[in-house]
Amino acid sequence: ETLDALRQLLADKPPRQPSFARIETETGAALLWFHQVTDARRRSPTAVHPDDIHHGVDLMDTVRAVVEQMGSEERRLLLQMNWELENVSRFTDTIIVTGTVFSLIVLLSAILALNLTVAGRIRAEAEIRRLNEGLEVLVRERTAQLESSNTALTQFAYVASHDLQEPLRMVVGYVQLLEKRLAGKLDADTREFMGYAVDGALRMQQLIHDILLY
């Protein structure tokens, strides 16, 4: 039961596993010796041989030695842990003190900088107001220019959508009308030339449409 409890305590401590394995091995050997001796006593109730007794004493001495060795190692690790915790505590105290001093220096510097920049901020605000007034004038001028440009673009769009496309529609319409009226009298070359004319006019209409979109 003690070994089972110790095994659970050391389950999350891999460095201690070899020592526990040795304790478990030596304890198992001692228990095996004990059972062998008691079984022999049941079969033959005679005195136990001195060599068996000495062997049992040696087994128990080995168990005690391993336990003492493991205890010494645990005490050493505990002392080392305490030493590390003390170092961490001292380091933390140093960091806190240093951080506090640094924070005070920064705070004082900020206060001094604030006092020095109050007048500068007032001047900067006056300059910003002046620049904003100039910017408003530029915005009004630019708005007027854009309105003029939009008016010109509107006029161009009207010309592109009506005046430039109207002659092309007439060319396409009349060429197609001729092709329909003279359907049986045209040779292959003439029909091909008329197709070129219609195709060119349609492509010109598409170019005007693209210019209008742009």
Side-chain angles (χ1 to χ4, degrees):
E1 292 176 355
T2 304
L3 286 175
D4 290 338
L6 185 59
R7 182 184 294 106
Q8 294 177 4
L9 289 175
L10 300 179
D12 59 344
K13 299 177 177 62
R16 274 75 160 185
Q17 297 298 330
S19 298
F20 173 76
R22 187 179 176 192
I23 290 176
E24 194 172 28
T25 300
E26 299 297 340
T27 304
L31 290 175
L32 179 61
W33 167 85
F34 176 77
H35 290 305
Q36 290 175 349
V37 171
T38 51
D39 289 342
R41 290 280 293 172
R42 290 193 190 98
R43 290 192 300 270
S44 177
T46 59
V48 179
H49 195 276
D51 291 340
D52 292 334
I53 295 176
H54 291 312
H55 179 64
V57 172
D58 292 339
L59 289 174
M60 292 307 299
D61 288 341
T62 302
V63 171
R64 280 191 290 269
V66 174
V67 171
E68 290 177 359
Q69 179 182 0
M70 188 173 183
S72 299
E73 179 64 17
E74 290 295 324
R75 287 190 293 273
R76 184 189 68 80
L77 292 175
L78 182 60
L79 291 175
Q80 181 179 355
M81 185 180 300
N82 290 334
W83 179 79
E84 292 175 352
L85 288 175
E86 290 177 358
N87 287 339
V88 169
S89 178
R90 287 194 294 270
F91 179 75
T92 303
D93 292 340
T94 303
I95 291 297
I96 292 174
V97 172
T98 304
T100 303
V101 173
F102 180 75
S103 300
L104 290 174
I105 293 174
V106 172
L107 180 60
L108 292 175
S109 300
I111 293 174
L112 292 175
L114 183 61
N115 291 332
L116 291 175
T117 56
V118 168
R121 181 173 180 178
I122 294 175
R123 290 193 299 270
E125 290 177 352
E127 180 67 16
I128 290 173
R129 284 194 297 270
R130 187 185 66 80
L131 292 175
N132 285 336
E133 292 173 356
L135 182 61
E136 290 177 358
V137 174
L138 291 176
V139 169
R140 287 195 295 269
E141 294 176 353
R142 183 58 178 165
T143 301
Q145 294 175 358
L146 289 175
E147 290 176 352
S148 175
S149 176
N150 286 337
T151 301
L153 287 175
T154 302
Q155 294 174 353
F156 171 77
Y158 177 80
V159 172
S161 60
H162 294 87
D163 298 351
L164 294 180
Q165 295 191 49
E166 181 61 25
L168 295 175
R169 284 194 291 268
M170 291 182 63
V171 171
V172 174
Y174 280 110
V175 171
Q176 291 176 342
L177 182 61
L178 286 174
E179 186 178 10
K180 184 182 295 185
R181 288 188 177 184
L182 302 175
K185 301 177 183 180
L186 299 176
D187 56 16
D189 290 339
T190 302
R191 286 194 298 272
E192 183 178 4
F193 296 156
M194 295 175 72
Y196 289 155
V198 172
D199 181 67
L202 292 176
R203 285 190 289 111
M204 179 60 73
Q205 280 185 324
Q206 184 62 45
L207 289 173
I208 294 173
H209 178 70
D210 292 341
I211 292 174
L212 178 61
L213 290 178
Y214 176 74

